[in-house]
């Protein structure tokens, strides 16, 4: 359904108050993934009213499903995986399928406040720092780019893929959905400004290797609702 949808950056940065933003006509990589997951869960549950959709979306996008200003949104995707694993919405299978430790100090947002309009608020910056410290203290795992080919058989069609990065202070650079095509795992994603939602021509392993800022993946498996 979303194939060919325009990529639009900063889709959630609307207005001064934090609200549940819904935009299905323009998607960034995270809102593409979130909406694909939420719509699939609604269909599986047979609960397809607009309110059902909104409730599901809010529950995966915000910490404990509660909107309480900008810091309550889950901004780092490794944290998104952790929180939604805790809720029983997805399962982080990275370690199980061959992942190795991913230890990194996460502080990109607090170190780059000028890139985030809402972080002109010092109180928000302090709250973000608390979350960053918590994320940095956890034991995450990732599959390095050179190992992706060897674990492809353990990645399911429909798994959620988070691509790790060597950018200082940042955990995840890009996200999308695994698509099995001709026996290989490809990557369905909202790529960048000026492009549209697509399935990569290259398999996922080759796609990651081709980007110098990407160096591996985390894999989260959607659970039955």
């Amino acid at each position: 359904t979303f194939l060919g949808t325009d990529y639009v950056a900063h889709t959630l940065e609307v207005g001064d108050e934090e609200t549940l933003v819904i935009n299905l006509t323009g998607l960034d990589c995270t809102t593409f993934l979130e909406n694909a997951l939420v719509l699939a869960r609604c269909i599986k549950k047979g609960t397809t009213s607009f309110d059902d959709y909104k409730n599901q979306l809010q529950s995966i996008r915000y910490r404990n499903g509660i909107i309480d200003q900008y810091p309550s949104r889950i901004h780092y995707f490794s944290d998104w995986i952790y929180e939604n694993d805790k809720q029983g919405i997805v399962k982080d299978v990275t370690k199980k399928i061959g992942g190795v430790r991913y230890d990194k100090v996460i502080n990109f947002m607090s170190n780059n406040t000028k890139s985030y309009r809402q972080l002109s608020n010092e109180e928000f910056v302090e709250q973000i720092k608390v979350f960053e410290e918590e994320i940095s203290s956890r034991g995450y795992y990732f599959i390095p780019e050179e190992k992706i080919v060897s674990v492809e058989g353990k990645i399911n069609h429909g798994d959620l893929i988070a691509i790790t990065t060597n950018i200082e202070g940042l955990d995840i650079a890009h996200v999308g959905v695994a698509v099995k095509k001709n026996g290989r795992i490809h990557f369905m994603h909202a790529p960048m400004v000026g492009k549209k939602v697509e399935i990569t021509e290259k398999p996922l392993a080759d796609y990651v290797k081709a980007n110098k800022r990407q160096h591996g993946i985390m894999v989260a498996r959607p659970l039955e609702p």
Side-chain angles (χ1 to χ4, degrees):
T1 299
F2 288 135
L3 280 173
T5 303
D6 287 334
Y7 178 97
V8 176
H10 312 299
T11 51
L12 301 186
E13 313 312 320
V14 177
D16 294 325
E17 292 296 315
E18 186 70 22
T19 58
L20 184 68
V21 174
I22 293 167
N23 180 356
L24 299 180
T25 61
L27 301 164
D28 62 26
C29 67
T30 303
T31 58
F32 158 67
L33 179 147
E34 286 182 337
N35 279 291
L37 176 63
V38 164
L39 290 169
R41 285 178 60 82
C42 286
I43 292 164
K44 285 255 185 178
K45 291 177 74 174
T47 52
T48 53
S49 73
F50 189 52
D51 282 341
D52 293 325
Y53 160 78
K54 288 193 298 182
N55 291 338
Q56 286 273 342
L57 186 61
Q58 183 169 320
S59 74
I60 69 166
R61 183 177 288 171
Y62 290 91
R63 203 170 304 279
N64 301 315
I66 298 167
I67 300 175
D68 182 18
Q69 300 185 314
Y70 181 72
S72 67
R73 196 195 316 161
I74 305 170
H75 295 283
Y76 288 101
F77 203 81
S78 60
D79 193 28
W80 186 101
I81 293 174
Y82 176 86
E83 290 293 331
N84 282 286
D85 186 307
K86 198 165 66 175
Q87 285 195 69
I89 292 171
V90 302
K91 178 69 177 171
D92 185 351
V93 297
T94 312
K95 181 181 179 183
K96 180 182 175 183
I97 67 173
V100 298
R101 281 288 296 226
Y102 183 48
D103 295 314
K104 190 170 186 181
V105 175
I106 304 302
N107 54 22
F108 186 86
M109 291 180 71
S110 61
N111 281 352
N112 295 274
T113 55
K114 289 182 180 176
S115 299
Y116 301 89
R117 175 173 54 85
Q118 295 90 338
L119 294 186
S120 59
N121 182 324
E122 264 307 315
E123 185 182 332
F124 289 176
V125 175
E126 292 307 310
Q127 291 178 54
I128 291 293
K129 282 182 179 177
V130 171
F131 293 133
E132 288 174 337
E133 288 172 10
E134 187 179 329
I135 295 165
S136 300
S137 70
R138 292 181 192 142
Y140 286 104
Y141 290 80
F142 84 120
I143 296 159
E145 58 184 3
E146 64 274 9
K147 287 186 65 180
I148 296 174
V149 170
S150 66
V151 304
E152 265 191 14
K154 299 174 184 176
I155 298 174
N156 290 350
H157 183 82
D159 280 349
L160 309 180
I161 305 294
I163 299 178
T164 58
T165 181
N166 54 22
I167 296 172
E168 186 175 350
L170 190 61
D171 54 347
I172 302 298
H174 195 40
V175 301
V177 179
V179 173
K180 193 166 280 190
K181 188 177 168 187
N182 300 322
R184 299 293 307 275
I185 294 295
H186 290 249
F187 187 54
M188 186 174 178
H189 65 138
M192 62 183 72
V193 174
K195 296 206 172 184
K196 301 175 185 293
V197 175
E198 65 177 18
I199 299 171
T200 56
E201 288 184 19
K202 295 177 181 177
L204 174 64
D206 296 337
Y207 175 83
V208 174
K209 280 184 180 178
N211 190 312
K212 291 178 182 177
R213 292 188 177 275
Q214 300 175 356
H215 62 13
I217 61 171
M218 294 182 184
V219 182
R221 184 156 294 159
L223 300 176
E224 290 293 325

